[in-house]
Amino acid sequence: MSASSQVAWVTVECRLTKRCTRRRARALRLGRARQTCLARVSADVSPLGRLHMTLKSMFTDDVMYSPRAQVINQIVALGLIVFFVAALKIKVGLPPAIIVGGSAIVGFLRWRVTNLRRVINPIKTTTVFLLTTAALTVHMYEEHTRLFGPAMSRLFQIAFPDTRFLQIFVFILPTIYYLTAIGLLIRIPLAAFVAWFIFVGPGIAEFTHFIVPLIRPALEPDNPLAIDAVINGVRIDGMANHHFAVTGKYYFPGLYTAIIPMIPGIYGVWWLLRNRNQGADRRLKGTSASGRP
């Protein structure tokens, strides 16, 4: 290569080096300017905006499903179980408290090994949950029209009039169901515990309706007619005897529709256990990471 060619190559190399240096300096200046701009914007955010940013950071999976959050959620869930079981024991009686408490404990244990630690397809979980609660509403209509509360009162000698049945199971609990559906959609772990309770309790545990006609009532077991009585200071009318040995009819209020909430409830339990290792971070077939199809 001639001397003139070498000089030309060196000149070109120097120009390229200077150009790259200028570009790097420009990129560095732009980066610093961007950081300064973001800092100014952050400083100018209103208190409401800061609150929104804080809440948004709190409702991330890394925060809500952290080891510390899992411990807190379990403590809250156990506290809710104790509270509602005690309330049922005081307001209604021991047998319903045992049924509800047992279902809640089973649901709690299954929740711990499934969607306490990770989100499992929130859209499908919410869909199955709402199907179960809708079926449960149909079931409770039969229980209300056939006086489930008074029948339980005669069976176990507990104060469970129909008005109390309506207050608890038709008005208070559905409010919790609606909030649970919202919680499932925004991926709150505690909502998944309530869903598990519904799948196990008002879902699977409805099979008890097929057993109670075989239980001898605590009040006037040999009298086939409906009776009225005062139990624990509460007057209860229309307490029918549904003992199969006395009536010859295998029935108890809610028996005909008991299978309806059991179908989605059993499916919900099966599906969650089957997919317990497939969280939102490991995408389900045909769904996005958020659980949307």
Side-chain angles (χ1 to χ4, degrees):
M1 183 180 291
S2 64
S4 61
S5 298
Q6 290 180 354
V7 171
W9 276 111
V10 170
T11 303
V12 170
E13 188 175 353
C14 289
R15 288 178 180 175
L16 290 174
T17 302
K18 289 180 180 178
R19 187 177 298 175
C20 290
T21 302
R22 285 197 299 268
R23 287 180 178 177
R24 289 175 185 171
R26 187 184 304 165
L28 185 61
R29 286 195 302 271
L30 288 173
R32 288 176 179 172
R34 183 181 179 186
Q35 290 179 357
T36 304
C37 181
L38 289 174
R40 289 175 180 173
V41 170
S42 178
D44 293 339
V45 172
S46 65
L48 187 61
R50 290 174 185 170
L51 177 62
H52 173 73
M53 293 171 64
T54 302
L55 291 176
K56 189 174 181 180
S57 64
M58 288 174 58
F59 283 97
T60 60
D61 289 355
D62 290 339
V63 174
M64 291 196 296
Y65 291 88
S66 65
R68 181 182 179 184
Q70 291 176 27
V71 173
I72 294 173
N73 277 290
Q74 290 180 79
I75 293 173
V76 173
L78 289 173
L80 290 174
I81 293 173
V82 172
F83 172 77
F84 282 109
V85 168
L88 277 174
K89 171 64 174 64
I90 295 171
K91 290 290 186 180
V92 180
L94 184 60
I98 292 175
I99 295 173
V100 171
S103 301
I105 291 296
V106 173
F108 176 83
L109 295 175
R110 296 298 86 198
W111 172 56
R112 290 186 74 241
V113 299
T114 54
N115 42 2
L116 166 65
R117 307 179 189 280
R118 62 182 64 83
V119 182
I120 301 179
N121 199 330
I123 298 296
K124 188 165 184 178
T125 304
T126 306
T127 302
V128 178
F129 171 76
L130 289 175
L131 283 174
T132 306
T133 54
L136 185 61
T137 302
V138 175
H139 170 63
M140 289 189 297
Y141 177 76
E142 182 196 353
E143 289 183 328
H144 165 60
T145 56
R146 301 306 296 270
L147 298 179
F148 173 82
M152 289 286 288
S153 298
R154 183 168 184 174
L155 190 65
F156 297 112
Q157 198 172 354
I158 58 176
F160 196 21
D162 188 57
T163 53
R164 191 166 292 174
F165 169 82
L166 291 173
Q167 289 171 354
I168 297 174
F169 292 98
V170 178
F171 296 110
I172 296 176
L173 288 181
T175 303
I176 297 176
Y177 301 158
Y178 305 146
L179 296 175
T180 299
I182 296 173
L184 289 171
L185 289 174
I186 61 177
R187 309 156 79 94
I188 295 179
L190 194 62
F193 161 68
V194 180
W196 261 109
F197 165 69
I198 296 300
F199 292 149
V200 175
I204 297 177
E206 293 295 345
F207 78 90
T208 53
H209 282 77
F210 300 96
I211 299 175
V212 286
L214 301 174
I215 301 176
R216 184 178 172 86
L219 296 176
E220 300 187 29
D222 299 321
N223 182 2
L225 302 177
I227 62 174
D228 305 328
V230 176
I231 302 175
N232 297 332
V234 179
R235 180 173 178 80
I236 304 173
D237 299 324
M239 294 187 291
N241 187 348
H242 294 283
H243 190 203
F244 176 69
V246 174
T247 64
K249 182 180 179 181
Y250 203 89
Y251 178 75
F252 195 83
L255 185 143
Y256 293 152
T257 56
I259 192 67
I260 298 178
M262 288 179 66
I263 295 172
I266 293 172
Y267 175 79
V269 169
W270 171 81
W271 181 79
L272 284 172
L273 289 175
R274 182 190 177 195
N275 295 282
R276 63 184 178 275
N277 295 322
Q278 293 181 287
D281 53 331
R282 301 171 69 180
R283 298 187 181 187
L284 294 173
K285 222 174 194 181
T287 64
S288 65
S290 63
R292 292 175 176 82

